[in-house]
Amino acid sequence: MILNAEAILYPKLQHVGLLTGNLQRLLDWYTPVLGMRLVSASSNPTAAAVDAPAAAIKAAFMSNDDVSHRLAVIEVPGLIEDPERSRHQRVQNLAFELGSLDDLLGTYLRLKLIGVVPVFSVDEGPQTALYYEDPDRNSVEINVNNYTDRWAAQDHMQTSSAFARKPLGIDIDPDKLVTAREGGATPWELHLRAWQEEFLPQAAFDISKVV
């Protein structure tokens, strides 16, 4: 056997782990928003540990595909929201990709019916994205590639003068996109029109709310 100890390998992102003070609240949110299903749960995942206080910890593992778990959520009693989070280093957002703009807009409408709406929405050039906040205020992005080819989206980021000028994209109103799509505009036309600022929301989004 010869082990590779020299070349860099490229492991794929498999799952995300979250710490929370309220496990059930996150399970109830991620189930309809991302289609997550509970794969396994434990009310005492550290039963074999010596540290007795850890017995209050709970754990849940969720997935929305054939991977064993895409989301691991650990409940630690007493955790609270950090009012100073904007001053701290942290993971900025979790991102999940859909297969088409119609899937993205349909998901937007489905979630809107149950009172879950984006904090902001943007055409970023290579992709169109809706940003939500889970009950713990973690930023969760749902996006779609604006190109039919992944390499083209990467090329856009490397060569587009428009992207270089506005790498955070153009704010959009999802309802305006829905109306235009239902009116017969193609996804590519919507992307071009977004960058012509046709679908701007009534009020500009304050980026400080997420950074």
Side-chain angles (χ1 to χ4, degrees):
M1 177 184 296
I2 301 177
L3 301 178
N4 168 30
E6 297 180 2
I8 297 174
L9 302 181
Y10 300 91
K12 294 182 178 180
L13 180 64
Q14 190 234 4
H15 76 271
V16 172
L18 300 176
L19 291 178
T20 184
N22 190 328
L23 175 62
Q24 190 59 53
R25 185 173 65 171
L26 287 192
L27 298 185
D28 291 343
W29 192 85
Y30 280 97
T31 296
V33 174
L34 298 180
M36 291 287 178
R37 67 188 185 283
L38 183 63
V39 175
S40 178
S42 173
S43 59
N44 189 8
T46 58
V50 176
D51 189 6
I57 293 174
K58 298 178 182 178
F61 303 90
M62 307 181 75
S63 183
N64 61 1
D65 60 15
D66 57 347
V67 173
S68 63
H69 61 291
R70 289 297 191 183
L71 195 63
V73 185
I74 308 296
E75 179 182 285
V76 179
L79 290 188
I80 59 173
E81 182 179 318
D82 179 6
E84 295 289 316
R85 72 171 190 152
S86 63
R87 297 167 57 87
H88 297 165
Q89 298 180 48
R90 66 192 190 277
V91 174
Q92 193 275 321
N93 78 296
L94 316 178
F96 299 82
E97 182 184 41
L98 287 172
S100 71
L101 182 65
D102 287 349
D103 288 344
L104 184 67
L105 296 179
T107 295
Y108 163 74
L109 293 175
R110 176 180 63 81
L111 295 178
K112 185 180 178 182
L113 287 174
I114 61 174
V116 178
V117 295
V119 177
F120 74 104
S121 308
V122 61
D123 185 313
E124 296 167 334
Q127 65 183 28
T128 297
L130 310 180
Y131 290 81
Y132 295 84
E133 279 192 349
D134 75 11
D136 285 355
R137 297 195 64 200
N138 297 306
S139 180
V140 178
E141 171 189 343
I142 305 178
N143 66 49
V144 64
N145 190 344
N146 285 332
Y147 290 86
T148 56
D149 181 89
R150 293 185 184 277
W151 291 106
Q154 190 174 123
D155 184 68
H156 177 106
M157 297 178 71
Q158 294 176 321
T159 64
S160 168
S161 59
F163 182 81
R165 187 174 65 256
K166 290 187 69 69
L168 296 183
I170 302 290
D171 289 354
I172 55 174
D173 182 334
D175 288 309
K176 293 180 181 179
L177 256 68
V178 169
T179 299
R181 180 67 175 130
E182 291 178 338
T186 68
W188 185 250
E189 288 171 344
L190 293 181
H191 161 62
L192 296 178
R193 289 163 64 181
W195 276 79
Q196 293 169 358
E197 301 188 346
E198 183 176 336
F199 306 122
L200 293 176
Q202 186 172 7
F205 175 69
D206 181 1
I207 194 64
S208 68
K209 292 181 180 179
V210 293
V211 299

